Amino acid sequence: MKFFVDTADIDAIAELNDLGMVDGVTTNPSLILKSGRNILEVTKEICALVSGPVSAEVVATEADDMIAEGRKLAKIADNIAVKVPLTWAGLKACKTLTDEGSMVNVTLCFSANQALLAAKAGASFISPFVGRLDDVNIDGMELISDIRTIYDNYAFDTEILVASIRTVNHITDAALIGADVITAPPGVLKKLADHPLTDKGLEGFMADWAKTGQNIL
Ligand code: G3P
């Protein structure tokens, strides 16, 4: 399973990248706002730091304008994945940009039928938002499972990129279903290592080690 980091915070990306935990990065207009940075500048910096796909989202709503924005974003670096919304205009932009050789991430997916359309439009990634579905009492992980089944039924090679991840359990569930990628905020990724029994066990070992009076170095 690939780990993407869902942020435009360079320091947070660098910290996880040094640990070998970053296979890619996803951003969106809200994350660019949060970073306080210019989209073109910060995206270029992220692309230089991370070798995997870096999603940068268009903000136009008409297909021709999305395509123009996508072409400009794609010029930032070879590892850009142009992010487009799951609308008919976005799907048209997806088809055109994919045909031109760009990676495209189709975002704001909330149904299996939408995911089917994105695959048929040639998307490299489909981004179903599990947390936002959970927010409205719809099981986000059931959608991931449905998309996995549909993509496997027809051997679509669009990668399922589970987005809007809020908890570590979302990551476990996505991995069990066989999603290709998760994208999570840095704080959620860092929590993956936490376990109270690890802390307790380490505390015990350190206490016993101190009693030996030994040093390794
Ligand atoms: O990648 C999309 C993701 O950032 C949305 O997350 O928490 O705003 O629903 P959230």
Side-chain angles (χ1 to χ4, degrees):
M1 163 174 274
K2 291 178 217 169
F3 280 5
F4 288 4
V5 195
D6 199 26
T7 186
D9 179 335
I10 288 278
D11 292 340
I13 296 166
E15 185 187 354
L16 285 161
N17 198 38
D18 286 347
L19 294 166
M21 295 295 162
V22 180
D23 300 305
V25 171
T26 51
T27 66
N28 61 39
S30 303
L31 293 171
I32 295 295
L33 173 68
K34 199 171 165 191
S35 75
R37 300 284 311 277
N38 171 276
I39 183 172
L40 300 176
E41 289 171 11
V42 75
T43 305
K44 191 170 179 181
E45 277 179 44
I46 297 169
C47 287
L49 193 62
V50 172
S51 54
V54 174
S55 290
E57 189 159 343
V58 302
V59 290
T61 52
E62 299 299 325
D64 288 349
D65 297 331
M66 284 183 192
I67 292 164
E69 288 180 354
R71 284 176 181 149
K72 183 163 180 181
L73 292 170
K75 279 200 188 109
I76 293 173
D78 289 342
N79 54 335
I80 283 285
V82 178
K83 209 170 176 188
V84 301
L86 211 154
T87 58
W88 282 115
L91 291 166
K92 186 174 177 192
C94 174
K95 171 85 172 73
T96 301
L97 293 166
T98 298
D99 286 348
E100 290 174 3
S102 291
M103 285 186 283
V104 176
N105 175 0
V106 180
T107 189
L108 289 166
C109 170
F110 295 95
S111 79
N113 284 338
Q114 288 181 319
L116 185 53
L117 291 176
K120 289 187 70 68
S124 300
F125 303 100
I126 182 67
S127 290
F129 278 31
V130 292
R132 293 192 194 187
L133 281 169
D134 290 351
D135 286 345
V136 294
N137 285 329
I138 296 170
D139 185 349
M141 280 302 153
E142 202 174 305
L143 173 60
I144 302 306
S145 184
D146 288 349
I147 298 172
R148 179 75 283 157
T149 301
I150 290 167
Y151 281 11
D152 289 349
N153 281 348
Y154 298 98
F156 285 121
D157 54 15
T158 300
E159 293 188 51
I160 303 172
L161 195 175
V162 183
S164 186
I165 280 185
R166 308 273 173 77
T167 69
V168 289
N169 288 344
H170 276 149
I171 298 177
T172 313
D173 292 343
L176 286 168
I177 290 167
D180 302 284
V181 193
I182 56 92
T183 189
V188 175
L189 285 173
K190 286 170 84 174
K191 277 189 192 148
L192 286 173
D194 294 351
H195 200 290
L197 291 179
T198 304
D199 296 341
K200 192 177 168 197
L202 190 58
E203 204 177 296
F205 288 155
M206 290 304 98
D208 288 343
W209 180 249
K211 288 177 203 158
T212 68
Q214 299 179 39
N215 290 302
I216 292 176
L217 294 176

